[in-house]
Amino acid sequence: MWIRLVLAAIVFWIAAGFTNPMDGQQLVISGDSDRINPELGAYVEDIVPGDKREYKVHVTNPTDEEITALLYAADAMPALGGGKDFTLPSDPDTGSAAWYRAPDRSITLKAGETQSFTMEMQIPESVEPGQYVSVIGVYDQSMRESAARKIGLQVVLNYKLDEAKPPEAVPHAAVYTLENGKASLTILLVNEGDSLSEPEIEVRLKRQDDASELLFKKEING
């Protein structure tokens, strides 16, 4: 039996969208209902290399005060302690967030107002088979509590998933979470064989911008 390790388990992230605000969040984000996957609450599409895509988002301010926020493209990542999260505006775009052509923009919503925005994306010609998950994020610049300052809507793009080879079936999976000076890495264990078999585990860490360079490798038997 083989136990595969997939770094930064994106399969957990697509279980639900980010359309519902967390406790303390003031803004609400949503997408076009005719394109949003009703089960995942996210844009979920198959892609073709070189394609141009557009994704519309609607941002609502349900409060009785004016709010200024930043609309930006983010990379999905695991949250510290489990769950799903996405990068901050100041973080580098290392995954499919880099495919967005629309620049970050400051938006101001009056009390009770809803505004709609279009995020443009250019799919690279060199895209490899796999699943690419990004987030259209809104960062509330008026709030002090960072945990509730951002909300987002996922964009899940699939390309020839049947040809994607594990353990690299999820491109750009080698991302780490850095918060409060601590780095963490989420690992997903997948049992593909008999429960009584002896596991063989292999962990490989590569650079995202140069997959030919192996930074770390460890094999564990039993």
Side-chain angles (χ1 to χ4, degrees):
M1 175 193 70
W2 283 85
I3 293 182
R4 292 202 309 261
L5 296 180
V6 179
L7 303 179
I10 294 180
V11 290
F12 288 154
W13 303 335
I14 66 172
F18 290 86
T19 54
N20 294 325
M22 296 169 48
D23 291 340
Q25 287 178 337
Q26 301 184 90
L27 297 176
V28 178
I29 187 171
S30 61
D32 282 348
S33 58
D34 57 341
R35 292 180 62 191
I36 289 290
N37 183 297
E39 295 181 358
L40 304 181
Y43 286 110
V44 183
E45 298 183 333
D46 293 326
I47 59 173
V48 176
D51 266 4
K52 291 184 179 180
R53 298 292 173 95
E54 292 185 350
Y55 298 100
K56 181 155 288 188
V57 292
H58 313 288
V59 184
T60 300
N61 174 11
T63 73
D64 56 3
E65 296 182 358
E66 183 176 276
I67 294 179
T68 297
L70 185 69
L71 180 69
Y72 71 107
D75 285 311
M77 67 179 188
L80 286 176
K84 56 190 184 309
D85 198 357
F86 55 97
T87 53
L88 293 166
S90 57
D91 294 331
D93 295 331
T94 58
S96 53
W99 300 353
Y100 288 88
R101 300 295 91 191
D104 298 349
R105 68 193 84 170
S106 179
I107 60 177
T108 299
L109 288 87
K110 298 178 182 178
E113 182 182 16
T114 296
Q115 293 186 27
S116 299
F117 307 91
T118 299
M119 299 290 286
E120 299 176 354
M121 176 186 284
Q122 175 69 55
I123 311 298
E125 294 282 357
S126 59
V127 62
E128 297 291 335
Q131 186 171 77
Y132 300 80
V133 183
S134 60
V135 177
I136 299 174
V138 175
Y139 188 77
D140 189 341
Q141 298 171 316
S142 66
M143 298 186 67
R144 295 183 179 181
E145 296 297 330
S146 60
R149 294 183 75 164
K150 58 182 182 176
I151 55 172
L153 180 65
Q154 284 185 332
V155 178
V156 183
L157 304 178
N158 300 318
Y159 178 57
K160 295 184 177 180
L161 287 182
D162 56 336
E163 297 182 15
K165 298 179 180 180
E168 297 175 344
V170 185
H172 307 294
V175 294
Y176 64 89
T177 303
L178 183 61
E179 186 172 325
N180 298 326
K182 296 182 179 180
S184 66
L185 196 62
T186 296
I187 304 230
L188 171 66
L189 299 180
V190 179
N191 186 341
E192 292 189 323
D194 188 282
S195 61
L196 298 179
S197 300
E198 182 176 298
E200 297 178 11
I201 302 172
E202 180 180 291
V203 179
R204 287 182 295 164
L205 183 62
K206 297 181 179 180
R207 292 180 58 89
Q208 292 182 351
D209 56 356
D210 184 5
S212 63
E213 182 180 354
L214 185 64
L215 301 178
F216 174 82
K217 179 177 179 180
K218 184 175 182 62
E219 296 182 1
I220 304 173
N221 295 319

